[in-house]
Amino acid sequence: MKKKPFFYPLARVICAFIFHVIYPTEVQNGKHLPEDTAVIVCSNHVSLVDPIMINYSQKRMVLFMAKKELFKNKLLAALIRSFGAFPVDRGQDGGKAIDNANKLLKENNSIGIFLEGTRSKTGELGRGHGGAFMIAHQSNTPIVPCCITPRKGFLKPFRKTKITFGEPITCEELGITEGNAKEYREAAKRFMEILASMREKQRNEFQKR
């Protein structure tokens, strides 16, 4: 398992202030994320700080495959690197990123992938991509759904955000048996339906308060 970066403890102290005061978060079902076995966390994508929010929401470090644009801001780059995130240029080194992910999973790490590939501009869920399911199939790794839902759709200071984890799902449960492009696309659709159901529940809880 990958050793936590040197600045990891400091990063958690910084996040304690950010996510208790500035961007308050409520975590649900964090226990669904296994503590010591390989797992892929697949989440929707609402803000630049999503990798940090998910890592701070539970004890285990999730190594995020994050697009290189997130690393342009030096402060943000330093913080997300402290949580093990690594940049990926989707247009050039997709194969390298997949190989790296498979290697990390073989070492019983937890990796994170934003299923939509980019942040939502509307606050609604976008279309899921099949890359995460190809990695899951190749590595025989379960996937944990993670849904991030800010109140009123967008992350803003002093507005609560819910982070909910679902139970681990196997490739077989998503209909992946042969491991082809069609199965991965269908799995992505099914998975987005799961996230949509989680999102609906989160929104209903917001309305009751």
Side-chain angles (χ1 to χ4, degrees):
M1 189 173 293
K2 188 177 180 64
K3 185 178 180 180
K4 294 178 179 178
F6 178 76
F7 290 105
Y8 181 81
L10 176 60
R12 288 195 68 88
V13 171
I14 295 173
C15 289
F17 174 76
I18 293 174
F19 297 122
H20 279 287
V21 179
I22 302 178
Y23 295 103
T25 61
E26 178 184 337
V27 182
Q28 300 175 326
N29 302 327
K31 64 180 182 299
H32 286 327
L33 187 61
E35 295 184 3
D36 54 5
T37 59
V39 67
I40 299 173
V41 178
C42 277
S43 171
N44 62 313
H45 199 3
V46 300
S47 74
L48 290 173
V49 297
D50 289 346
I52 305 171
M53 292 178 66
I54 292 175
N55 263 293
Y56 186 71
S57 68
Q58 36 72 47
K59 295 181 179 180
R60 186 170 188 184
M61 186 170 68
V62 181
L63 310 175
F64 266 91
M65 299 172 61
K67 63 180 183 179
K68 66 178 184 178
E69 288 80 5
L70 290 178
F71 294 81
K72 289 181 178 180
N73 181 295
K74 292 183 178 180
L75 179 60
L76 178 63
L79 195 55
I80 62 179
R81 284 185 188 276
S82 296
F83 284 105
F86 55 97
V88 174
D89 186 341
R90 292 177 296 171
Q92 297 181 11
D93 59 0
K96 181 179 178 181
I98 291 173
D99 290 342
N100 191 14
N102 283 326
K103 179 182 177 182
L104 290 170
L105 291 169
K106 287 181 180 179
E107 297 170 351
N108 285 330
N109 288 291
S110 171
I111 68 169
I113 299 175
F114 295 116
L115 203 58
E116 299 151 300
T118 188
R119 284 176 291 150
S120 171
K121 296 180 180 180
T122 64
E124 299 300 324
L125 297 177
R127 182 174 66 89
H129 298 280
F133 305 101
M134 178 172 64
I135 295 172
H137 179 69
Q138 291 177 351
S139 60
N140 192 28
T141 304
I143 303 173
V144 171
C146 176
C147 188
I148 305 172
T149 303
R151 183 186 288 273
K152 297 184 180 180
F154 295 96
L155 186 72
K156 289 188 177 181
F158 312 112
R159 181 184 291 176
K160 179 173 283 189
T161 295
K162 290 180 179 287
I163 302 176
T164 303
F165 293 91
E167 295 185 7
I169 304 172
T170 65
C171 288
E172 290 76 13
E173 289 173 320
L174 290 169
I176 302 174
T177 56
E178 298 180 5
N180 55 51
K182 181 179 179 180
E183 287 184 342
Y184 299 145
R185 288 194 300 268
E186 290 300 319
K189 291 179 182 179
R190 293 181 185 181
F191 203 88
M192 292 307 298
E193 290 173 357
I194 293 172
L195 291 185
S197 177
M198 295 168 68
R199 163 66 61 87
E200 185 65 20
K201 182 179 179 181
Q202 290 170 328
R203 286 180 168 174
N204 288 339
E205 290 174 353
F206 275 135
Q207 292 176 357
K208 292 178 182 179
R209 297 181 181 182

